[in-house]
Structures are given as structure tokens and as C-alpha cells.
Amino acid sequence: MSHNPEFLRIVNEAKSRIEETDVPGVKAMMDAGEEFLLVDVREESEWNAGRLPGAIHVGKGIIERDAAARMPRNDAHIVLYCGGGFRSALAADNLQRMGYTNVSSMDGGIRVWKQAGHSIEV
């Protein structure tokens, strides 16, 4: 997929300010039983087509509005993901600006998750 250069510019700026994790890191946390909140920020139609096991859905379009209700602890370990890691990076940047202190974005998103052969829920 080819993205608009201005979109990529703001994504790269956001990525310079946030923590990123990757698919192997998230899978290892799951396998180890680590406690964290996995948040899918994709559109509802994408969510309905399949998602990572145990994820909750808080779309990027509403995450700032609904953060306090859906993720009440701003010190909780939160991992965001999307299709490829761009929207989740933008969302992570905004959550940090809202006072969330332990949020990261999964680089590669669900696309790399599936490529690695990991299961998804439908």
C-alpha cells in the first residue's frame, strides 16, 4: 500500500516519541501470561473480520474520546495495534499526550501477526 507522504511524515514524527514493540515481543508477552491491555485501533469492519486474541476494540477515531472509560488506568501497560503499525503509532502518541505512561504500538500490526502464522479471533 502506498501512503501519502504527509501521512508518513506525521507517523514518523509520532514514532520518534513513542515506544514500539513488535509481533514477536507481543506474542512472547502473551505466551508468558504477562498482564497488559491489547487494543485494536482499526475500523469496526476490520475488527469484525478478525483480531488478535484477547484484544479489545477502541477505534482510532474515538480512542481519545473514550480512553478514560475503556482504559481507566493511565499507568496500565497498553499495547495498541492496527493493520500495519501506523494508526496505532498515532494513537499511542495521543494517549501519551493525554497522560498515559506505559503505552506502545505494535510495529507491523495484524498484517505481520498473520504472516507469522499466529492465530486470530473472529
Side-chain angles (χ1 to χ4, degrees), residues 6-50:
E6 287 303 306
F7 172 71
L8 293 175
R9 180 184 61 76
I10 65 168
V11 166
N12 287 330
E13 287 174 2
K15 285 185 172 202
S16 75
R17 294 186 293 265
I18 66 164
E19 290 287 325
E20 280 191 293
T21 187
D22 57 15
V23 167
V26 172
K27 182 71 167 105
M29 289 189 305
M30 289 175 155
D31 291 346
E34 289 185 36
E35 188 174 322
F36 68 99
L37 184 59
L38 184 60
V39 181
D40 186 324
V41 301
R42 298 174 304 148
E43 298 293 320
E44 187 172 349
S45 61
E46 295 172 293
W47 163 263
N48 289 336

Side-chain angles (χ1 to χ4, degrees), residues 38 46 58 63 105:
L38 184 60
E46 295 172 293
V58 187
I63 196 165
S105 170

